[in-house]
Every structure is written in C-alpha cells, then in structure tokens.
C-alpha cells in the first residue's frame, strides 16, 4: 500500500515509492515512480519537457493545424491551444500565461512545468514536482479530494438561481447531453453531499448530489446558463423560461404582487482609485457622478415615495460586480448608473444612454442554445471556424440567446429612451442616442438597468458646464422626470407630462427649445437601439 | 610613379572603398529603421495586401484608413501586422492613436474557435489609461474591429493588458469575454 500524506490544504497525496537517483547531470522524468523517456532541456528560466511523450503517457492527444502555427492538445474533452514562441496558451475558455513559451526541441514541442500543471494537473489530477537538486520531474496522480458542497435555489421575479458552493474549486465538467438535465461531473474529486433537501421551485424539478456528480432536473420549457463566482468558489445556474406560455405559475412573492417601482439603486460611476474620465482642468468624473447621484436621490425621495439606495456615498473604490449585486440584494426595481464621458480628442459632446447588448451574453450558453436549437443536445452545428457562416451563426446565436433571456432588456430600452428624451428636450443637448454595449456594470442585474453618460468631460465647454451646480441640477431634474414617467408607466398611472410638453425651466443660456436631434452615427462597439418596441419574444424551445 | 605616390593612391582607393561600404551599410540600416510604418511595410517575406485599419476619430467614432501591409498567408501574422500598424498610429490627418505611445504588441494567439488573443504591453503602467466609456470603446474596438473585419479566421477578440485578462480596461466594457466587432457604419 502506498503511503498517504496529508498536504497543508487537507489534500491527500499518494506518494510513489522513491525512484533510484539518476546519474548526476542527467535530467529525468518519473511517472508514479517509474522513469519515462521524456527529453528535458534546462533553460535559465527553468526546465522544458517534450510534450509529445508526456501526452502519450498521460492520456492527451496532440494535433497540429495546417499552417503549423499552433498545436492543439486535447485533455479530458478540453482543448488546449499552444504555439512555439508564444507564452499565452488557451485552456478551454481560459487563457494561461506561461513562465516561458513552448519551444521546438528534442521530442517535438517542449513546454514548461507550469503548462503541465495547468493542463494534465488541473484536468486529470496529476501533481508535477520539479526537484532542481536531482534534476528530476516527478509525476503522480493526486488522490481524490473530498469537497463539501452546499446547495441553494432561489426564485425571484420569474427566474430561478441555483448556487452550488464548494469548499475548493473542483475539477469538473458540465454535461448537457440529456435535454432538461444538467449534470456537473467531478473529474478527479469526490463530493460530500449535503443533507437531502426538497426543491420547491417552479423552474427546477430537483437537484441531486452524490459523490460523483450534481444532477439538476429542469422543469419543462426552461433553460439555464451557468457561470462561476469565486471566493468562495460557486457554480451558478440562472434558470429562466424559454416561453412565457409554458412557464409554470410561480409562487407569488412580495415583489411580484403588482408591478411597480419601489426601490431604485443609483450608481455613481467610478470612485476611489478609479477616477474615471478627467477633464482638461483636472476635474475627475468620480466626484461629479457622486454629486449628481446625491442630488437625484434627494429629488426622488422627496417626490415619489420610492426607496433610493446609492451603491457608494463616498469616494471609495467599488468593483463593478458589487454595484450590480447591491441592486440585486436590495431587490431593486430599477438600476441607474451615472457617468460622465470622455473621448480620444476633444471634439465629442452630448449625452447618450446605454443598456446591455447581446454581446454581453455568455458565449458558452449561446453555444448550448445553438445545440438545443439544432435538436442535437450537447453538440453545435458544424460551421467552419472563422468563415462568414461561422460569424453569422455566432451573431445569430447571440441574438437568439439575447431574445431568450431578455426579461429586462426591453424595459431597459424603454427607460433609456425616456432618459434621452428628457435630457434632449429640456437641456438642448446633442442627442447621441440610446445605444447598447457590453458594459460590465449592467451585467447580472435582475431589473431594468441603464447607464447614462451626461456629457463629455474631455470637451472643455461641457466640462465647464458640468462643474456648474445649476447645470447639474437641471441634469438631475431631467433624470428624476424620466424616472417618474417610467414609474407611472409601469404602475399604470397617468404618465406625468414629458418635459417637452409641459412648462419647464427655460433652457440654459436662453437657447430655444427644439425637437431632439436625429441620433448620431453609432459609436464603435455599440449599437443604436431600435425605437421602443414590444417585449422581444422568447425563443420557444425546451432546455 | 614613385613608391610613395603609389602607396598614397592605394591608400586613397582603399579609404574610398571602405567609406562607400560604410555608407551603403549605414544607409540600409537607417532606411530599415525609418519609422514603424516603413518597417511594417518592408517586412520580410509575404505579399502586400490592402487592409482597412480603424482608428479613433475626434467625434468619438472610428474611421477606416486604407493601408497596404506586407503579410504572409498565416492569420496570426496578419493579426500581428494589423495591430502593430494600429499601435504605430494613423497616417491620415484627423485620426488618433488608439493607445498611448509606448504600448507594444506582446503575444498573439488564435484559437480553433476563431478567438484571437492579443496581449498589449505597456511598461509605463500596470493599468490601462483611465477614461470615459467612449474613450474605452474607441481604444478597444479600434483593435477588435481592425482584426475581425480584416482577418476572416478571427471572429472574436480577447484583449490582455500586460499579459493579464482584465474585467475591464477603464471601468465600462466587459473584457472578461471575447468581443465581437461593431458592424455599424464607419467613415
């Protein structure tokens, strides 16, 4: 029986019997105590090992592309792409930066030990230890770790979220081969299942955990996308209906009794070490966005009886994901991120309002959706990578996926249009339009969410205006009016008159009020939105 | 002819020969270093191919600048040459550099799924320059659009900064996922 050591992190490592010491000066590689013929080159940056014999010994498959520029290594259904002289490799969807680039040598392409750890180590559970004093690389299969997992299922606003929290990051694979079922398979770890728990959720029929896997059974007519959160490691599945008609009736929670705007989260852009844009005179965006947010908060609370939460109320650094999380935790009905703009060159000016773009959807989830659409679970329709068809297919995937999960996008667009309307009609600002972009702060929001750019700090004239408290008061007034209009619309109340139709404060500098200008040409990476439209139809297919 | 005169003529001829050789060598070296653009276009091997490079414009958008670059048929070489030309800056008036001076191109990788990984290196700062959303969009999509709209094998782009994939460059765009190009109209 092999001796078993317990590592510092509680990981069990089976140690092989010691191999006889090699002759001094001859580097060697041992697998489970037996020497295997692998060419080794000792570089000043560290040792390099022949990949081909290692792949053969450890169960990987190597292939080269036609141009010879890159090599693909397939390990446990994961593709690893590497190329000679290139320190960046891709492992599945992840990017890994190596200590030194792969290089041609004896035994084909040679790779550093960190490459071996990131591939065969993480994917197959091998431990690689380089001993410089003996010039030996030892490879041994790690014993299975036993990881604890906890399970939470939450249903909110028509969407369910399944959270699997692990004590450590597991080595796993998500299998969606069976329609309506998601299996999280452990590749080299064992799970310590939580006590059985009955799941009462309209979109999730059940979740079963055993030592080898977590099996999630979805209700009919729903689909799920997954993502990972860290510290601690969590695997999250967002489950939502593919068709509103097929959705089982959810237990009605307090937020679903009647549509309404009860809580608004206002996010003053940037803060702390992240200054945001800086104007020619040195004024930082983070200061002005906080002032604007506070002014807007006061207006909303005094007039609308709505709870307002600021994501930050001081000059502090706040990660983008936390801003959205604050909105979700407070069960906000509306999320508004306030920013001031800048461009390369001083010519740009005006306001624009963004909501999330289809590019922000998860490509992996989009691929799953593509496979489901094709009626071949788990496999994507074959398209030639890089071809026009592939690009068009990817665009189509993203659009379809966006339609399927756009619970809030249509509402976000409607709210964004109201904001632009108020800003343009009352303040005579250049209308740069309502646009879509993959903005991080809007991702993951479970409510209509927009980001408004209230002017360009890089433009000296706009910078000067934005420093004027009276001008900022007009900006926050326009935002408050847009919120009041949107609230009335959602709550089926008579809509307050738009600024253009009602008596409003005179425009600054005595300018005449004019209809809003035509939207500007789209900015790079953004898409001008369509006119207010009906809620996009979800895709009618089963998970 | 005296022996002394013959030695003088021989020495003079040798000096002329050495001087001419030195001039030829130096002029070739200087010519090879006369600007990044010249260096790109006189790159070794390959053929001259026309590309549209998308540079930031003062109004907040991108404008195409047609450029001929000497490239091989390998898509990674084309990506590299396109990004290097972008970093070297525009030649047309009114267009702007997408990245600060000193930013260089590190590694380039192209996955089988059409995702191009492009590592931008800036020794001056661990972080990308701060700015507003339009500025960030101009910087990022100058690279993304120039790659994807010129190299058909690349359909999406992941940008790294000093070897690290970041959540965002300056607080707006999500860079943790591959970006598709903006297919909207450009000047």
């Amino acid at each position: 029986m092999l001796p078993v050591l317990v590592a510092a992190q509680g990981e069990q490592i089976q140690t092989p019997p010691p191999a006889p010491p090699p002759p001094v000066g001859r580097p060697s590689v041992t697998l489970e105590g037996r020497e295997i013929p692998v060419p080794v080159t000792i570089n000043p940056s560290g040792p390099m090992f022949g990949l081909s014999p290692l792949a053969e010994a450890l169960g990987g498959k190597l292939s080269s592309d036609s141009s010879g520029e890159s090599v693909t290594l397939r390990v446990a259904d994961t593709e690893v792409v590497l190329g000679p002289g290139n320190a960046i490799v891709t492992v599945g969807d992840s990017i890994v930066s190596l200590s030194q680039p792969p290089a041609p040598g004896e035994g084909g392409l040679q790779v550093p030990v960190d490459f071996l750890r990131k591939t065969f180590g993480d994917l197959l559970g091998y431990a690689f230890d380089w001993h410089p004093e003996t010039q030996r690389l030892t490879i041994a299969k790690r014993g299975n770790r036993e990881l604890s997992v906890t399970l939470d299922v939450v249903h909110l606003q028509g969407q369910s979220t399944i959270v699997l929290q692990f004590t450590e990051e597991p080595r796993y694979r998500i299998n969606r081969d069976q329609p309506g079922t998601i299996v999280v398979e452990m590749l080299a770890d064992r799970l310590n299942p939580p006590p059985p728990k009955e799941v009462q959720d309209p979109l999730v029929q059940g979740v079963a955990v055993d030592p080898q896997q977590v099996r999630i059974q979805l209700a009919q007519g729903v689909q799920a996308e997954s993502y990972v959160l860290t510290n601690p490691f969590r695997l999250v599945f967002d489950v939502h209906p593919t068709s509103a008609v097929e959705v089982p009736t959810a237990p009605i929670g307090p937020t679903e009794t009647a549509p309404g705007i009860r809580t608004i989260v206002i996010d003053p852009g940037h803060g702390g070490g992240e200054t945001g844009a800086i104007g020619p005179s040195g004024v930082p965006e983070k200061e002005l966005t906080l002032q604007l947010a506070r002014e807007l908060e006061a207006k909303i609370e005094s007039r609308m009886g709505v709870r307002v939460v600021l994501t930050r109320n001081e000059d502090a650094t706040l990660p983008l994901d936390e801003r959205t999380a604050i909105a979700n935790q407070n069960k906000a009905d509306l999320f508004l991120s306030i920013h001031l703009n800048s461009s390369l060159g001083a010519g740009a000016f005006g306001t624009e309002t963004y909501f999330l773009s289809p590019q922000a959807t998860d490509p992996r989830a989009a691929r799953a959706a593509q496979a489901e659409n094709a009626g071949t679970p788990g496999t994507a329709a074959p398209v030639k990578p890089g071809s026009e068809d592939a690009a068009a297919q990817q665009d189509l995937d993203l659009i379809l996926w966006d339609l399927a999960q756009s619970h809030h996008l249509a509402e976000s667009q409607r709210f964004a249009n109201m904001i632009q309307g108020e800003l343009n009609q009352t303040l005579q600002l250049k209308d740069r339009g309502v646009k879509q972009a993959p903005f991080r702060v809007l991702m993951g929001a479970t409510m209509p969410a927009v980001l408004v750019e209230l002017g360009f700090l890089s433009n000296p004239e706009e910078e000067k205006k934005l420093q004027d408290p009276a001008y900022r008061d007009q900006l926050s007034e326009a935002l408050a009016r847009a919120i009041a209009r949107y609230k009335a619309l959602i709550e089926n109340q008579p809509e307050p008159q738009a600024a253009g139709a009602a008596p409003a404060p005179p425009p600054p500098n005595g300018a005449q009020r004019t209809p809003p200008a035509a939207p500007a040409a789209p900015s790079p990476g953004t898409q001008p939105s369509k006119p207010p439209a009906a809620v996009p139809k979800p895709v009618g297919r089963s998970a | 002819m005296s022996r002394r005169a013959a030695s003088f003529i021989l020495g003079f001829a040798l000096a002329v020969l050495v001087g001419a050789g030195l001039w030829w060598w130096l002029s070739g070296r200087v010519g090879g270093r006369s600007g990044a653009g010249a260096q790109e276009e006189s790159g070794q091997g390959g053929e001259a191919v026309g590309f549209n490079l998308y540079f930031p414009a003062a109004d907040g958008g991108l404008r195409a600048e047609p450029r001929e670059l000497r490239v091989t048929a390998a898509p990674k070489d084309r990506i590299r040459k396109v990004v290097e030309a972008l970093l070297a800056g525009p030649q047309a008036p009114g267009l702007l550099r997408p990245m600060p001076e000193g930013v260089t191109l590190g590694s380039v990788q192209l996955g089988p799924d059409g995702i191009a990984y492009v590592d931008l290196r800036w020794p001056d700062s661990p972080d990308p320059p701060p700015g507003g959303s339009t500025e960030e969009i101009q910087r990022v999509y100058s690279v993304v659009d120039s790659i994807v709209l010129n190299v058909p094998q690349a359909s999406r782009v992941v940008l790294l900064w000093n070897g690290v994939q970041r959540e965002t460059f300056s607080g707006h765009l999500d860079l943790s996922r591959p970006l598709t190009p903006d297919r909207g109209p450009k000047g």
Side-chain angles (χ1 to χ4, degrees):
Chain A
M1 183 178 159
L2 295 174
V4 175
L5 297 181
V6 178
Q9 295 171 338
E11 186 179 339
Q12 289 188 331
I13 301 172
Q14 290 189 322
T15 55
V24 175
R26 187 178 71 80
S28 63
V29 176
T30 62
L31 172 60
E32 305 290 2
R34 283 181 309 179
E35 187 165 337
I36 56 173
V38 177
V40 182
T41 304
I42 305 296
N43 287 340
S45 314
M48 300 282 278
F49 304 92
L51 180 57
S52 181
L54 277 170
E56 195 175 325
L58 299 174
K61 192 175 173 189
L62 277 172
S63 58
S64 300
D65 72 355
S66 54
S67 69
E69 280 192 325
S70 62
V71 170
T72 301
L73 169 68
R74 181 169 280 278
V75 183
D77 288 343
T78 299
E79 274 194 346
V80 180
V81 181
L82 66 160
N86 196 335
I88 294 174
V89 301
T90 59
V91 181
D93 289 338
S94 307
I95 307 163
V96 175
S97 198
L98 300 178
S99 58
Q100 51 180 325
E106 196 186 345
L109 206 56
Q110 296 198 338
V111 294
V113 70
D114 50 329
F115 174 86
L116 301 173
R117 290 185 181 128
K118 285 288 179 191
T119 52
F120 299 105
D122 287 352
L123 298 169
L124 296 178
Y126 283 102
F128 294 83
D129 289 308
W130 171 249
H131 306 277
E133 67 284 1
T134 55
Q135 304 271 290
R136 177 193 286 173
L137 176 72
T138 58
I139 309 171
K141 191 86 173 173
R142 280 195 291 250
N144 286 348
R145 295 177 300 176
E146 184 164 289
L147 306 179
S148 292
V149 56
T150 57
L151 165 70
D152 276 307
V153 182
V154 178
H155 185 81
L156 188 66
Q157 295 184 333
Q159 177 172 306
S160 298
T161 302
I162 304 167
V163 183
L164 301 170
Q165 182 172 320
F166 298 85
T167 44
E168 285 179 69
E169 180 176 351
R171 294 181 283 270
Y172 68 97
R173 172 174 55 194
I174 296 177
N175 185 333
R176 292 173 182 259
D177 287 351
Q178 200 178 336
T181 303
I182 300 169
V183 181
V184 183
E185 299 172 349
M186 294 298 112
L187 293 175
D189 299 312
R190 287 171 56 82
L191 293 178
N192 182 13
K197 183 174 167 182
E198 191 179 348
V199 175
Q200 292 185 322
D201 187 281
L203 305 184
V204 183
Q205 287 183 348
V207 182
V209 184
D210 67 36
Q212 277 78 43
Q213 62 182 25
V214 179
R215 177 176 286 268
I216 299 168
Q217 195 66 44
L218 302 177
Q220 241 189 345
V222 302
Q223 58 192 19
E225 63 259 29
S226 65
Y227 55 96
V228 160
L229 299 172
T230 52
N231 297 322
F233 184 88
R234 284 153 291 167
L235 184 56
V236 185
F237 294 87
D238 282 344
V239 186
H240 52 83
T242 53
S243 164
V245 178
E246 297 172 19
V247 184
T249 307
I252 295 177
T255 58
E256 293 175 291
T257 49
I261 304 296
R262 300 171 187 82
T263 303
I264 298 174
V265 168
I266 299 173
D267 171 44
H270 307 282
E274 294 173 9
T275 57
I278 297 177
S281 75
V283 59
E285 178 186 355
K286 64 175 185 175
E287 285 181 11
L288 297 180
T289 56
L290 182 55
Q291 289 174 24
L292 281 158
R294 285 173 175 158
E295 288 159 18
L296 178 59
E297 176 190 29
K299 287 185 168 77
I300 295 170
E301 286 188 333
S302 66
R303 297 176 197 173
M304 298 179 215
V306 170
R307 185 169 77 106
V308 178
V309 177
L310 298 190
T311 56
R312 68 176 177 96
N313 210 344
E314 57 185 357
D315 183 19
T317 304
L318 187 64
L320 296 174
D321 291 349
E322 279 186 33
R323 297 169 191 255
T324 322
I326 288 170
N328 292 344
Q329 286 160 7
N330 281 281
K331 297 182 170 51
D333 303 297
L334 209 51
F335 178 78
L336 174 61
S337 188
I338 296 177
H339 284 248
L340 298 171
N341 217 335
S342 74
S343 71
L344 293 167
F349 62 100
T351 65
E352 54 198 14
T353 305
Y354 285 92
F355 64 106
L356 201 55
S357 73
Q359 290 152 309
T361 57
D362 189 335
R364 284 168 296 183
R367 281 200 294 272
Q370 178 192 6
E372 287 160 7
N373 272 340
T376 316
T379 57
V383 285
K384 189 182 171 189
S387 66
E388 286 288 326
D389 285 346
Q393 183 71 60
Q394 282 164 353
D395 288 348
L396 182 62
D397 289 342
L398 292 175
I399 291 165
L400 290 174
W401 189 249
D402 175 51
L403 288 173
Q405 67 167 5
S406 58
H407 302 293
H408 305 296
L409 287 190
E411 287 304 313
S412 300
Q413 181 182 10
R414 182 153 39 180
F415 180 42
N417 278 319
M418 288 181 174
I419 289 175
Q420 278 303 111
E422 290 293 340
L423 288 170
N424 300 325
Q425 291 188 31
T426 62
L427 290 168
Q428 295 271 292
L429 299 172
K430 180 186 178 185
D431 183 6
R432 295 176 66 89
V434 171
K435 300 174 180 177
Q436 289 180 271
F439 282 159
R440 179 85 183 193
V441 77
L442 302 179
M443 291 179 176
T446 58
M447 74 289 302
V450 303
L451 182 151
V452 63
E453 294 282 3
L454 290 169
F456 279 76
L457 275 178
S458 52
N459 182 303
E461 281 182 32
E462 287 208 330
E463 185 203 28
K464 194 175 169 188
K465 285 200 295 181
L466 287 162
Q467 291 180 81
D468 178 1
Y471 181 71
R472 287 202 305 274
D473 183 64
Q474 289 180 311
L475 288 173
S476 59
E477 183 66 36
L479 293 177
R481 270 200 304 272
I483 291 169
R485 283 179 59 199
Y486 182 75
K487 181 174 185 291
L489 186 80
I490 294 298
E491 296 174 354
N492 280 326
Q493 292 171 0
E495 189 177 322
Q497 286 185 306
N509 306 324
Q512 294 299 307
R513 190 172 296 122
T514 60
S523 296
T526 65
Q527 302 164 10
S529 73
K530 291 174 264 207
V535 175
K537 289 178 187 172
V539 177
R541 56 189 163 74
S542 297
Chain B
M1 183 184 291
S2 71
R3 188 184 178 100
R4 190 171 177 178
S7 299
F8 175 78
I9 290 169
L10 188 65
F12 181 76
L14 270 173
V16 167
L17 204 63
V18 168
L22 195 63
W23 174 84
W24 174 83
W25 185 77
L26 278 176
S27 62
R29 299 281 290 188
V30 171
R33 288 178 179 172
S34 61
Q39 198 172 22
E40 288 144 18
E41 291 168 27
S42 64
Q44 292 176 356
E47 56 175 337
V49 174
F51 293 89
N52 276 325
L53 303 183
Y54 296 97
F55 285 101
D59 65 356
L62 296 179
R63 298 286 179 276
E65 180 181 300
R67 193 80 75 81
E68 205 166 76
L69 304 175
R70 187 162 286 279
V71 294
T72 67
K76 265 167 62 175
D77 179 58
R78 294 184 173 214
I79 294 171
R80 178 168 282 282
K81 295 283 169 50
V82 162
V83 178
E84 283 173 348
L86 277 176
L87 295 177
Q91 292 173 346
L95 300 184
L96 303 157
R97 302 174 72 98
M99 298 290 166
E101 281 200 53
V103 174
T104 58
L105 177 61
S107 296
V108 170
Q109 184 65 276
L110 181 62
D113 50 3
I115 300 178
Y117 298 85
V118 175
D119 182 16
L120 299 172
R121 298 264 166 181
W122 198 21
D124 294 351
S125 166
D127 300 319
S133 64
T134 296
E135 186 174 334
E136 186 176 12
I137 285 167
Q138 285 179 297
R139 292 189 193 283
V140 168
Y141 282 96
S142 172
V143 179
V144 172
D145 289 12
S146 294
I147 291 173
V148 178
L149 301 181
N150 283 299
V151 184
Q153 291 85 352
S155 56
R156 289 178 287 167
V157 177
V158 170
L159 287 180
L160 290 86
W161 190 264
N162 287 332
V164 177
Q165 186 178 12
R166 302 172 65 100
E167 188 178 89
T168 171
F169 269 10
S170 44
H172 311 91
L173 286 173
D174 176 48
L175 299 187
S176 68
R177 305 168 193 225
L179 291 169
T180 53
D182 163 47
R183 293 183 189 275
K186 295 183 177 71

